[in-house]
Amino acid sequence: MKQFSIAIHGGAGTLVKGMMTPELEAKYKTHLEKALTIGYDVLKQGGSSLDAVEKAVVELENSHLFNAGKGSVFTANGSHEMDASIMEGKELQAGAVSLVTGIKNPVQLARCIMEQSGHVFMAGNGAMEYAKSLGFKLEAPEYFFDELRYNQWQEIKDSETFQLDHSLKKDSKFGTVGAVACDSKGTVAAATSTGGMTNKRFGRVGDSPMVGAGTYANNNTCAVSCTGSGEYFIRGVVAYDVSCLMEYKGLSLAEAAHEVINNRVLKLGGDGGLIAVDAQGNIAMPFNTEGMYRACQTSLGNKDISIYR
Ligand code: ASP
């Protein structure tokens, strides 16, 4: 049996030690561990990487601590518009959804789009209609309400500024969630889900639902889920770039992920990070911000749950 492994993230940003109370820090770590264990157990029982990443992301979406599903940030008009995507590396199947509201677990809708719609990417009203036809129950806006995120929005709501989640510094807050995994058959998968950026314009789409930018999976190389300033991650085609550096330049997972985050994205002016796994189960979790909520576990017995550098 090959090594199997999983990594998850809950966003990157200006996460400086001492910024949070020890209680809040412990809460973040507890939730990260819970989501990690849910995903890891799927792999341990011989399940697929696709199921593992979906289940881990659902758990993170259900926590108000992270900017995805419950706890999504507010848009400029005070609503929640969520994006998500999922991809597997054997057949390169992918599903993505953007600009949806009221959906408790957008990653599950992305998977349905991948497996049942014959399409890859659906957005807005069409995606909502499709969700309803599949029997997705809609949550009321109160379900997504989080006081911290509401206050963040109040601070900038009448300005042209939009900001990311998770930090003191207004322009560098990230809170997207994601998971990548390699199962015992050597198939990799990735999933990403987000509420996007606080006070983002109505209709703005970030990197998270974009195959190749925020999410990518290919058994020949790796699976990647990103978090950061989406506009830069789109322009850098970040997730696919990691895969390309491995495929065409022969870089290792660690080298490729480091090059993209600490060199290419930085040069573009973007900040954030990513989690990645290759088909041998190796993991990389680079970020160019002060911190990134992250956790990983491998069948070789390695386990890590971290926030800071
Ligand atoms: N990348 C996400 C976006 O631009 C934000 C984040 O990572 O928090 O929508």
mmCIF file with all atom_site columns, all heavy atoms in Angstrom, residues 254-269:
data_model
loop_
_atom_site.group_PDB
_atom_site.id
_atom_site.type_symbol
_atom_site.label_atom_id
_atom_site.label_alt_id
_atom_site.label_comp_id
_atom_site.label_asym_id
_atom_site.label_entity_id
_atom_site.label_seq_id
_atom_site.pdbx_PDB_ins_code
_atom_site.Cartn_x
_atom_site.Cartn_y
_atom_site.Cartn_z
_atom_site.occupancy
_atom_site.B_iso_or_equiv
_atom_site.pdbx_formal_charge
_atom_site.auth_seq_id
_atom_site.auth_comp_id
_atom_site.auth_asym_id
_atom_site.auth_atom_id
_atom_site.pdbx_PDB_model_num
ATOM 1   N N   . ALA A 1 254 ? 7.918  20.036 -3.202  1.00 0.00 ? 254 ALA A N   1
ATOM 2   C CA  . ALA A 1 254 ? 8.340  21.109 -2.290  1.00 0.00 ? 254 ALA A CA  1
ATOM 3   C C   . ALA A 1 254 ? 8.984  22.265 -3.066  1.00 0.00 ? 254 ALA A C   1
ATOM 4   O O   . ALA A 1 254 ? 8.683  23.436 -2.810  1.00 0.00 ? 254 ALA A O   1
ATOM 5   C CB  . ALA A 1 254 ? 9.316  20.554 -1.259  1.00 0.00 ? 254 ALA A CB  1
ATOM 6   N N   . GLU A 1 255 ? 9.821  21.927 -4.046  1.00 0.00 ? 255 GLU A N   1
ATOM 7   C CA  . GLU A 1 255 ? 10.491 22.979 -4.829  1.00 0.00 ? 255 GLU A CA  1
ATOM 8   C C   . GLU A 1 255 ? 9.484  23.791 -5.643  1.00 0.00 ? 255 GLU A C   1
ATOM 9   O O   . GLU A 1 255 ? 9.544  25.023 -5.675  1.00 0.00 ? 255 GLU A O   1
ATOM 10  C CB  . GLU A 1 255 ? 11.508 22.343 -5.805  1.00 0.00 ? 255 GLU A CB  1
ATOM 11  C CG  . GLU A 1 255 ? 12.736 21.767 -5.135  1.00 0.00 ? 255 GLU A CG  1
ATOM 12  C CD  . GLU A 1 255 ? 13.540 20.849 -6.063  1.00 0.00 ? 255 GLU A CD  1
ATOM 13  O OE1 . GLU A 1 255 ? 13.007 20.425 -7.129  1.00 0.00 ? 255 GLU A OE1 1
ATOM 14  O OE2 . GLU A 1 255 ? 14.680 20.535 -5.715  1.00 0.00 ? 255 GLU A OE2 1
ATOM 15  N N   . ALA A 1 256 ? 8.570  23.080 -6.291  1.00 0.00 ? 256 ALA A N   1
ATOM 16  C CA  . ALA A 1 256 ? 7.586  23.763 -7.153  1.00 0.00 ? 256 ALA A CA  1
ATOM 17  C C   . ALA A 1 256 ? 6.677  24.672 -6.325  1.00 0.00 ? 256 ALA A C   1
ATOM 18  O O   . ALA A 1 256 ? 6.434  25.826 -6.693  1.00 0.00 ? 256 ALA A O   1
ATOM 19  C CB  . ALA A 1 256 ? 6.758  22.732 -7.912  1.00 0.00 ? 256 ALA A CB  1
ATOM 20  N N   . ALA A 1 257 ? 6.179  24.149 -5.197  1.00 0.00 ? 257 ALA A N   1
ATOM 21  C CA  . ALA A 1 257 ? 5.259  24.937 -4.366  1.00 0.00 ? 257 ALA A CA  1
ATOM 22  C C   . ALA A 1 257 ? 5.970  26.161 -3.803  1.00 0.00 ? 257 ALA A C   1
ATOM 23  O O   . ALA A 1 257 ? 5.418  27.270 -3.781  1.00 0.00 ? 257 ALA A O   1
ATOM 24  C CB  . ALA A 1 257 ? 4.718  24.065 -3.233  1.00 0.00 ? 257 ALA A CB  1
ATOM 25  N N   . HIS A 1 258 ? 7.217  25.993 -3.373  1.00 0.00 ? 258 HIS A N   1
ATOM 26  C CA  . HIS A 1 258 ? 7.996  27.110 -2.836  1.00 0.00 ? 258 HIS A CA  1
ATOM 27  C C   . HIS A 1 258 ? 8.240  28.173 -3.926  1.00 0.00 ? 258 HIS A C   1
ATOM 28  O O   . HIS A 1 258 ? 8.048  29.371 -3.690  1.00 0.00 ? 258 HIS A O   1
ATOM 29  C CB  . HIS A 1 258 ? 9.332  26.587 -2.295  1.00 0.00 ? 258 HIS A CB  1
ATOM 30  C CG  . HIS A 1 258 ? 10.298 27.661 -1.937  1.00 0.00 ? 258 HIS A CG  1
ATOM 31  N ND1 . HIS A 1 258 ? 10.205 28.370 -0.755  1.00 0.00 ? 258 HIS A ND1 1
ATOM 32  C CD2 . HIS A 1 258 ? 11.344 28.198 -2.622  1.00 0.00 ? 258 HIS A CD2 1
ATOM 33  C CE1 . HIS A 1 258 ? 11.182 29.272 -0.729  1.00 0.00 ? 258 HIS A CE1 1
ATOM 34  N NE2 . HIS A 1 258 ? 11.876 29.196 -1.844  1.00 0.00 ? 258 HIS A NE2 1
ATOM 35  N N   . GLU A 1 259 ? 8.644  27.727 -5.089  1.00 0.00 ? 259 GLU A N   1
ATOM 36  C CA  . GLU A 1 259 ? 8.934  28.660 -6.194  1.00 0.00 ? 259 GLU A CA  1
ATOM 37  C C   . GLU A 1 259 ? 7.698  29.523 -6.526  1.00 0.00 ? 259 GLU A C   1
ATOM 38  O O   . GLU A 1 259 ? 7.798  30.735 -6.707  1.00 0.00 ? 259 GLU A O   1
ATOM 39  C CB  . GLU A 1 259 ? 9.394  27.855 -7.416  1.00 0.00 ? 259 GLU A CB  1
ATOM 40  C CG  . GLU A 1 259 ? 9.323  28.551 -8.771  1.00 0.00 ? 259 GLU A CG  1
ATOM 41  C CD  . GLU A 1 259 ? 10.297 29.716 -8.913  1.00 0.00 ? 259 GLU A CD  1
ATOM 42  O OE1 . GLU A 1 259 ? 11.254 29.810 -8.129  1.00 0.00 ? 259 GLU A OE1 1
ATOM 43  O OE2 . GLU A 1 259 ? 10.068 30.560 -9.829  1.00 0.00 ? 259 GLU A OE2 1
ATOM 44  N N   . VAL A 1 260 ? 6.541  28.881 -6.577  1.00 0.00 ? 260 VAL A N   1
ATOM 45  C CA  . VAL A 1 260 ? 5.333  29.621 -6.973  1.00 0.00 ? 260 VAL A CA  1
ATOM 46  C C   . VAL A 1 260 ? 4.933  30.624 -5.889  1.00 0.00 ? 260 VAL A C   1
ATOM 47  O O   . VAL A 1 260 ? 4.683  31.799 -6.188  1.00 0.00 ? 260 VAL A O   1
ATOM 48  C CB  . VAL A 1 260 ? 4.171  28.640 -7.283  1.00 0.00 ? 260 VAL A CB  1
ATOM 49  C CG1 . VAL A 1 260 ? 2.871  29.403 -7.474  1.00 0.00 ? 260 VAL A CG1 1
ATOM 50  C CG2 . VAL A 1 260 ? 4.492  27.840 -8.536  1.00 0.00 ? 260 VAL A CG2 1
ATOM 51  N N   . ILE A 1 261 ? 4.885  30.188 -4.644  1.00 0.00 ? 261 ILE A N   1
ATOM 52  C CA  . ILE A 1 261 ? 4.403  31.080 -3.579  1.00 0.00 ? 261 ILE A CA  1
ATOM 53  C C   . ILE A 1 261 ? 5.435  32.131 -3.180  1.00 0.00 ? 261 ILE A C   1
ATOM 54  O O   . ILE A 1 261 ? 5.106  33.309 -3.010  1.00 0.00 ? 261 ILE A O   1
ATOM 55  C CB  . ILE A 1 261 ? 3.976  30.250 -2.345  1.00 0.00 ? 261 ILE A CB  1
ATOM 56  C CG1 . ILE A 1 261 ? 2.671  29.511 -2.653  1.00 0.00 ? 261 ILE A CG1 1
ATOM 57  C CG2 . ILE A 1 261 ? 3.797  31.125 -1.104  1.00 0.00 ? 261 ILE A CG2 1
ATOM 58  C CD1 . ILE A 1 261 ? 1.477  30.400 -2.962  1.00 0.00 ? 261 ILE A CD1 1
ATOM 59  N N   . ASN A 1 262 ? 6.676  31.719 -3.024  1.00 0.00 ? 262 ASN A N   1
ATOM 60  C CA  . ASN A 1 262 ? 7.673  32.655 -2.493  1.00 0.00 ? 262 ASN A CA  1
ATOM 61  C C   . ASN A 1 262 ? 8.438  33.426 -3.555  1.00 0.00 ? 262 ASN A C   1
ATOM 62  O O   . ASN A 1 262 ? 9.253  34.279 -3.238  1.00 0.00 ? 262 ASN A O   1
ATOM 63  C CB  . ASN A 1 262 ? 8.647  31.917 -1.579  1.00 0.00 ? 262 ASN A CB  1
ATOM 64  C CG  . ASN A 1 262 ? 7.944  31.452 -0.322  1.00 0.00 ? 262 ASN A CG  1
ATOM 65  O OD1 . ASN A 1 262 ? 7.269  32.227 0.346   1.00 0.00 ? 262 ASN A OD1 1
ATOM 66  N ND2 . ASN A 1 262 ? 8.059  30.169 -0.029  1.00 0.00 ? 262 ASN A ND2 1
ATOM 67  N N   . ASN A 1 263 ? 8.180  33.121 -4.805  1.00 0.00 ? 263 ASN A N   1
ATOM 68  C CA  . ASN A 1 263 ? 8.849  33.852 -5.861  1.00 0.00 ? 263 ASN A CA  1
ATOM 69  C C   . ASN A 1 263 ? 7.835  34.439 -6.859  1.00 0.00 ? 263 ASN A C   1
ATOM 70  O O   . ASN A 1 263 ? 7.629  35.639 -6.925  1.00 0.00 ? 263 ASN A O   1
ATOM 71  C CB  . ASN A 1 263 ? 9.859  32.925 -6.551  1.00 0.00 ? 263 ASN A CB  1
ATOM 72  C CG  . ASN A 1 263 ? 10.821 33.682 -7.431  1.00 0.00 ? 263 ASN A CG  1
ATOM 73  O OD1 . ASN A 1 263 ? 10.893 34.907 -7.371  1.00 0.00 ? 263 ASN A OD1 1
ATOM 74  N ND2 . ASN A 1 263 ? 11.530 32.973 -8.283  1.00 0.00 ? 263 ASN A ND2 1
ATOM 75  N N   . ARG A 1 264 ? 7.150  33.564 -7.566  1.00 0.00 ? 264 ARG A N   1
ATOM 76  C CA  . ARG A 1 264 ? 6.280  34.056 -8.645  1.00 0.00 ? 264 ARG A CA  1
ATOM 77  C C   . ARG A 1 264 ? 5.095  34.888 -8.157  1.00 0.00 ? 264 ARG A C   1
ATOM 78  O O   . ARG A 1 264 ? 4.816  35.957 -8.693  1.00 0.00 ? 264 ARG A O   1
ATOM 79  C CB  . ARG A 1 264 ? 5.787  32.879 -9.475  1.00 0.00 ? 264 ARG A CB  1
ATOM 80  C CG  . ARG A 1 264 ? 6.939  32.179 -10.161 1.00 0.00 ? 264 ARG A CG  1
ATOM 81  C CD  . ARG A 1 264 ? 6.473  30.978 -10.940 1.00 0.00 ? 264 ARG A CD  1
ATOM 82  N NE  . ARG A 1 264 ? 7.631  30.354 -11.567 1.00 0.00 ? 264 ARG A NE  1
ATOM 83  C CZ  . ARG A 1 264 ? 7.615  29.784 -12.762 1.00 0.00 ? 264 ARG A CZ  1
ATOM 84  N NH1 . ARG A 1 264 ? 6.504  29.712 -13.443 1.00 0.00 ? 264 ARG A NH1 1
ATOM 85  N NH2 . ARG A 1 264 ? 8.704  29.248 -13.274 1.00 0.00 ? 264 ARG A NH2 1
ATOM 86  N N   . VAL A 1 265 ? 4.377  34.385 -7.144  1.00 0.00 ? 265 VAL A N   1
ATOM 87  C CA  . VAL A 1 265 ? 3.212  35.133 -6.636  1.00 0.00 ? 265 VAL A CA  1
ATOM 88  C C   . VAL A 1 265 ? 3.675  36.441 -6.000  1.00 0.00 ? 265 VAL A C   1
ATOM 89  O O   . VAL A 1 265 ? 3.065  37.497 -6.200  1.00 0.00 ? 265 VAL A O   1
ATOM 90  C CB  . VAL A 1 265 ? 2.405  34.287 -5.628  1.00 0.00 ? 265 VAL A CB  1
ATOM 91  C CG1 . VAL A 1 265 ? 1.332  35.128 -4.946  1.00 0.00 ? 265 VAL A CG1 1
ATOM 92  C CG2 . VAL A 1 265 ? 1.742  33.109 -6.322  1.00 0.00 ? 265 VAL A CG2 1
ATOM 93  N N   . LEU A 1 266 ? 4.758  36.377 -5.248  1.00 0.00 ? 266 LEU A N   1
ATOM 94  C CA  . LEU A 1 266 ? 5.287  37.588 -4.607  1.00 0.00 ? 266 LEU A CA  1
ATOM 95  C C   . LEU A 1 266 ? 5.657  38.635 -5.642  1.00 0.00 ? 266 LEU A C   1
ATOM 96  O O   . LEU A 1 266 ? 5.365  39.822 -5.480  1.00 0.00 ? 266 LEU A O   1
ATOM 97  C CB  . LEU A 1 266 ? 6.530  37.244 -3.783  1.00 0.00 ? 266 LEU A CB  1
ATOM 98  C CG  . LEU A 1 266 ? 6.339  36.952 -2.298  1.00 0.00 ? 266 LEU A CG  1
ATOM 99  C CD1 . LEU A 1 266 ? 7.693  36.831 -1.620  1.00 0.00 ? 266 LEU A CD1 1
ATOM 100 C CD2 . LEU A 1 266 ? 5.506  38.041 -1.607  1.00 0.00 ? 266 LEU A CD2 1
ATOM 101 N N   . LYS A 1 267 ? 6.302  38.202 -6.732  1.00 0.00 ? 267 LYS A N   1
ATOM 102 C CA  . LYS A 1 267 ? 6.705  39.147 -7.782  1.00 0.00 ? 267 LYS A CA  1
ATOM 103 C C   . LYS A 1 267 ? 5.495  39.821 -8.423  1.00 0.00 ? 267 LYS A C   1
ATOM 104 O O   . LYS A 1 267 ? 5.556  40.984 -8.805  1.00 0.00 ? 267 LYS A O   1
ATOM 105 C CB  . LYS A 1 267 ? 7.505  38.417 -8.862  1.00 0.00 ? 267 LYS A CB  1
ATOM 106 C CG  . LYS A 1 267 ? 8.977  38.371 -8.533  1.00 0.00 ? 267 LYS A CG  1
ATOM 107 C CD  . LYS A 1 267 ? 9.795  37.936 -9.725  1.00 0.00 ? 267 LYS A CD  1
ATOM 108 C CE  . LYS A 1 267 ? 11.230 37.659 -9.269  1.00 0.00 ? 267 LYS A CE  1
ATOM 109 N NZ  . LYS A 1 267 ? 11.821 36.526 -9.975  1.00 0.00 ? 267 LYS A NZ  1
ATOM 110 N N   . LEU A 1 268 ? 4.394  39.073 -8.520  1.00 0.00 ? 268 LEU A N   1
ATOM 111 C CA  . LEU A 1 268 ? 3.168  39.664 -9.071  1.00 0.00 ? 268 LEU A CA  1
ATOM 112 C C   . LEU A 1 268 ? 2.563  40.682 -8.108  1.00 0.00 ? 268 LEU A C   1
ATOM 113 O O   . LEU A 1 268 ? 1.783  41.542 -8.500  1.00 0.00 ? 268 LEU A O   1
ATOM 114 C CB  . LEU A 1 268 ? 2.127  38.563 -9.291  1.00 0.00 ? 268 LEU A CB  1
ATOM 115 C CG  . LEU A 1 268 ? 2.062  37.829 -10.617 1.00 0.00 ? 268 LEU A CG  1
ATOM 116 C CD1 . LEU A 1 268 ? 0.941  36.801 -10.573 1.00 0.00 ? 268 LEU A CD1 1
ATOM 117 C CD2 . LEU A 1 268 ? 1.811  38.800 -11.755 1.00 0.00 ? 268 LEU A CD2 1
ATOM 118 N N   . GLY A 1 269 ? 2.894  40.524 -6.807  1.00 0.00 ? 269 GLY A N   1
ATOM 119 C CA  . GLY A 1 269 ? 2.330  41.418 -5.793  1.00 0.00 ? 269 GLY A CA  1
ATOM 120 C C   . GLY A 1 269 ? 1.282  40.743 -4.932  1.00 0.00 ? 269 GLY A C   1
ATOM 121 O O   . GLY A 1 269 ? 0.589  41.387 -4.139  1.00 0.00 ? 269 GLY A O   1
#
